[in-house]
Amino acid sequence: MGCSMSRLLKATVALVILVLLFMPGAMAAAAASFDASRAQQLPLPPGEVHGPESVAFDAQGRGPYSGVSDGRILRWNGPKLGWTTYAYGPGYDSETCTTSRFGTEADIESRCGRPLGLRFNQKTGDLYVADAYKGLMRVPPGGGEATVLVDQIDGMPLRFTNGVDVDQVTGQVYFTHSSMNYDRSEHEMVTKTGDSTGRLMMYDPRTSDATVLQPRMTYPNGVALSADRTHLVVASTGPCKLLRHWIKGVDAGKSEPFADLPGYPDNVRPDRKGGYWVALHREKNELPFGRDSHLLAVRVAADGKIVEEMRGPKKVRPTEIMERDDGKLYLGSVELPYVGVVKRK
């Protein structure tokens, strides 16, 4: 009996060790964690659009602004007025772009555009938009029709423009192009095939020139400029990693691993401590059963270590976590009909 119990105990310990080794994030016991299940919702117009992918605020604190499934960029004006149209891409037509009888969602997106990453230049009031189909666009202060700035590189069209960030000192715009082979409607193929035709790029508004900073990247997605403006942090979705690309110093032009993540990252946004919030669209080894909770995002410190986790219901698949000075966290999603707002206790 004693020998049997001993063998059972050893087997149990071995099983626990295996679980700890193969469950991403399980060993990161030091990381703080909080539950975002009770998020306030800023609902989009019912039945019309969905998928507020990215979240931005202007220099006056108005917003959030977010791009949605019919190609428009909307602005939240408070609970009484709700969302109103702020901007749209070239060729947008309200009749064609807001109904489904003209084809599939992919057809509408390719015609009307699909705004993904959004960032304001806080000095000029320009809003830069990474539109998956139209390329890098700029919306003038006050809104209206966007101007396409970059829709090709080296004579080849940008098929899947994705993330964007703005250097608030120089005005330079950094953005990602996820694949030369697949567009946004085929994003799963980018992961499945290990496609490495993505690029990290820079647009200079002073010269209107676009430059490839790093070619041959594997599914580059969100991008964020570091607090000291020496490097960029780029989400590599398929490999579940963050990369660091140096833009200043002795290592300028070089890319290196920055962090291994417990899930598939989307957008990367700065936190208020010199690090980053990384939205996780899905966990690496997500179980189809068990409690209705999974990792929504992680906060990564400036040294690449995961220091905080956000958990929530499995129906929420965030694409961006944006932190404001008041401590509120805004959740963007390419699937949900609302922007979520979480206030940590």
Side-chain angles (χ1 to χ4, degrees):
M1 184 72 172
C3 291
S4 297
M5 287 296 292
S6 178
R7 285 196 294 270
L8 179 60
L9 179 60
K10 289 179 180 179
T12 302
V13 171
L15 178 60
V16 170
I17 291 174
L18 284 173
V19 169
L20 288 174
L21 286 174
F22 290 99
M23 284 185 67
M27 294 297 287
S33 181
F34 71 96
D35 192 284
S37 297
R38 295 183 179 179
Q40 176 191 357
Q41 296 181 9
L42 308 182
L44 297 173
E48 293 184 19
V49 291
H50 64 275
E53 154 96 7
S54 184
V55 178
F57 287 81
D58 62 25
Q60 289 73 42
R62 291 173 299 203
Y65 296 75
S66 192
V68 292
S69 57
D70 68 353
R72 287 180 297 160
I73 296 159
L74 308 181
R75 184 174 74 187
W76 176 256
N77 302 280
K80 289 186 178 180
L81 290 178
W83 296 92
T84 56
T85 299
Y86 179 73
Y88 42 85
Y92 174 83
D93 174 76
S94 60
E95 178 66 18
T96 303
C97 298
T98 55
T99 62
S100 59
R101 67 175 181 268
F102 293 97
T104 65
E105 183 172 325
D107 294 331
I108 293 175
E109 286 189 357
S110 63
R111 178 199 300 259
C112 305
R114 184 53 166 107
L116 298 181
L118 304 180
R119 299 293 185 275
F120 275 97
N121 181 317
Q122 301 292 346
K123 291 181 180 178
T124 67
D126 292 320
L127 174 63
Y128 288 90
V129 182
D131 187 286
Y133 295 87
K134 295 184 181 294
L136 180 68
M137 306 193 304
R138 178 171 55 209
V139 178
E145 183 172 319
T147 299
V148 176
L149 303 174
V150 186
D151 60 2
Q152 63 170 331
I153 191 71
D154 298 332
M156 301 183 68
L158 301 184
R159 298 191 62 182
F160 190 176
T161 316
N162 204 329
V164 65
D165 202 3
V166 177
D167 186 325
Q168 299 297 332
V169 176
T170 67
Q172 292 174 324
V173 182
Y174 300 96
F175 65 104
T176 59
H177 177 239
S178 294
S179 173
M180 300 292 287
N181 294 322
Y182 302 101
D183 62 31
R184 197 195 83 84
S185 67
E186 304 167 303
H187 66 91
E188 292 184 355
M189 291 299 296
V190 184
T191 300
K192 289 179 180 179
T193 63
D195 181 271
S196 296
T197 61
R199 301 181 181 196
L200 173 63
M201 303 179 65
M202 188 269 285
Y203 172 78
D204 191 335
R206 295 170 297 185
T207 63
S208 299
D209 291 332
T211 306
V212 176
L213 301 180
Q214 180 67 50
R216 299 182 295 280
M217 299 186 76
T218 304
Y219 206 156
N221 198 325
V223 57
L225 180 66
S226 65
D228 61 7
R229 301 174 47 248
T230 61
H231 61 274
L232 302 165
V233 172
V234 183
S236 183
T237 299
C240 297
K241 295 180 181 295
L242 294 180
L243 305 174
R244 175 163 53 190
H245 180 86
W246 292 96
I247 54 176
K248 291 184 179 179
V250 295
D251 292 322
K254 295 182 180 179
S255 292
E256 62 188 17
F258 183 63
D260 289 315
L261 300 172
Y264 297 92
D266 204 298
N267 286 323
V268 182
R269 294 298 302 267
D271 65 6
R272 296 184 297 157
K273 299 180 180 180
Y276 311 90
W277 277 106
V278 185
L280 301 178
H281 194 63
R282 191 177 298 273
E283 291 186 69
K284 269 185 184 176
N285 298 317
E286 189 169 305
L287 299 175
F289 51 85
R291 63 180 183 143
D292 183 25
S293 177
H294 72 145
L295 277 177
L296 302 181
V298 292
R299 187 163 66 85
V300 178
D303 61 1
K305 294 181 180 178
I306 295 175
V307 293
E308 191 168 14
E309 297 177 345
M310 177 193 293
R311 304 194 68 88
K314 290 184 177 180
K315 67 179 180 180
V316 178
R317 305 285 177 180
T319 48
E320 183 165 291
I321 307 296
M322 193 269 196
E323 184 172 10
R324 296 287 286 162
D325 289 340
D326 60 5
K328 288 183 179 179
L329 296 162
Y330 289 78
L331 281 66
S333 168
V334 78
E335 299 170 350
L336 294 176
Y338 62 83
V339 168
V341 185
V342 175
K343 178 69 174 179
R344 280 181 290 183
K345 295 181 180 179

